[in-house]
């Protein structure tokens, strides 16, 4: 049992390194590929740093590039927000999470965007942001009768 578990882990680490290598090659060939950047950011964020490819600084750089090249994709903002949360940069995370809530889903990603918006709202609550703080007229926003009769 232990030997199998240990060797399964080694194969998994090898697979992660191969995936990261392929994604690095993808961004070399297509530098503005937001999806490749967000996948790299996720690998760097979630993998352990000592025995694998984990690197919080690389995660931040790749997530920022994903948002730059794909600002309309909620997942890019969500990964960046999670990197900020991991780094204790809550105010920056809150800004990204609030952007997600206000995004209009692209026609080819409505369910995914809605799911990311729900996750963003939950993370905002976890960060202590009241749910009625979105500007009036925006998704999830609060409007008083005086603002919108």
């Amino acid at each position: 049992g232990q030997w199998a578990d240990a060797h399964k882990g080694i194969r998994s680490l090898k697979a992660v390194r191969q995936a990261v290598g392929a994604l690095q090659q993808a961004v070399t060939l297509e530098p503005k590929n937001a999806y490749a950047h967000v996948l790299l950011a996720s690998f760097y964020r979630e993998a352990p740093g000592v025995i694998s490819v984990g690197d919080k600084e690389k995660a931040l750089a790749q997530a920022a590039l994903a948002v730059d090249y794909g600002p309309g994709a909620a997942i890019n903002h969500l990964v960046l927000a999670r990197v900020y949360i991991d780094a204790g940069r809550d105010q920056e995370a809150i800004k990204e999470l609030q952007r997600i809530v206000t995004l209009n889903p692209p026609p080819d990603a409505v369910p995914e965007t809605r799911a990311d918006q729900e996750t963003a709202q939950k993370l905002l609550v976890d960060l202590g942001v009241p749910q009625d703080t979105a500007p009036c007229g925006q998704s999830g926003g609060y409007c008083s009768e005086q603002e919108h009769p």
Side-chain angles (χ1 to χ4, degrees):
Q2 286 181 331
W3 186 90
D5 286 342
H7 286 80
K8 178 177 134 190
I10 290 168
R11 282 194 295 276
S12 295
L13 292 174
K14 183 178 178 183
V16 167
R17 285 191 183 101
Q18 288 173 337
V20 168
L23 288 166
Q24 289 170 333
Q25 187 175 18
V27 297
T28 298
L29 296 171
E30 193 180 337
K32 293 184 180 184
N33 183 331
Y35 191 62
H37 286 292
V38 80
L39 289 174
L40 274 171
S42 294
F43 274 114
Y44 289 138
R45 177 183 168 261
E46 295 176 23
V50 176
I51 61 170
S52 188
V53 299
D55 185 321
K56 302 305 180 193
E57 289 179 20
K58 287 182 180 179
L60 176 58
Q62 293 297 320
L65 287 170
V67 168
D68 287 347
Y69 297 136
I75 188 66
N76 298 341
H77 295 279
L78 185 57
V79 170
L80 181 57
R82 286 184 166 147
V83 171
Y84 282 144
I85 290 168
D86 292 348
R89 295 167 63 175
D90 291 354
Q91 291 306 310
E92 290 161 293
I94 289 167
K95 288 178 186 176
E96 291 302 320
L97 294 168
Q98 288 174 331
R99 282 187 188 114
I100 295 167
V101 173
T102 62
L103 282 176
N104 290 319
D108 62 339
V110 172
E112 297 91 341
T113 302
R114 294 290 182 228
D116 291 338
Q117 288 172 324
E118 288 179 22
T119 300
Q121 288 175 334
K122 289 175 186 171
L123 288 171
L124 284 166
V125 169
D126 291 347
L127 291 168
V129 177
Q131 287 301 291
D132 62 350
T133 59
C136 179
Q138 293 184 356
S139 176
Y142 172 80
C143 299
S144 69
E145 289 185 29
Q146 292 176 339
E147 291 175 282
H148 275 77

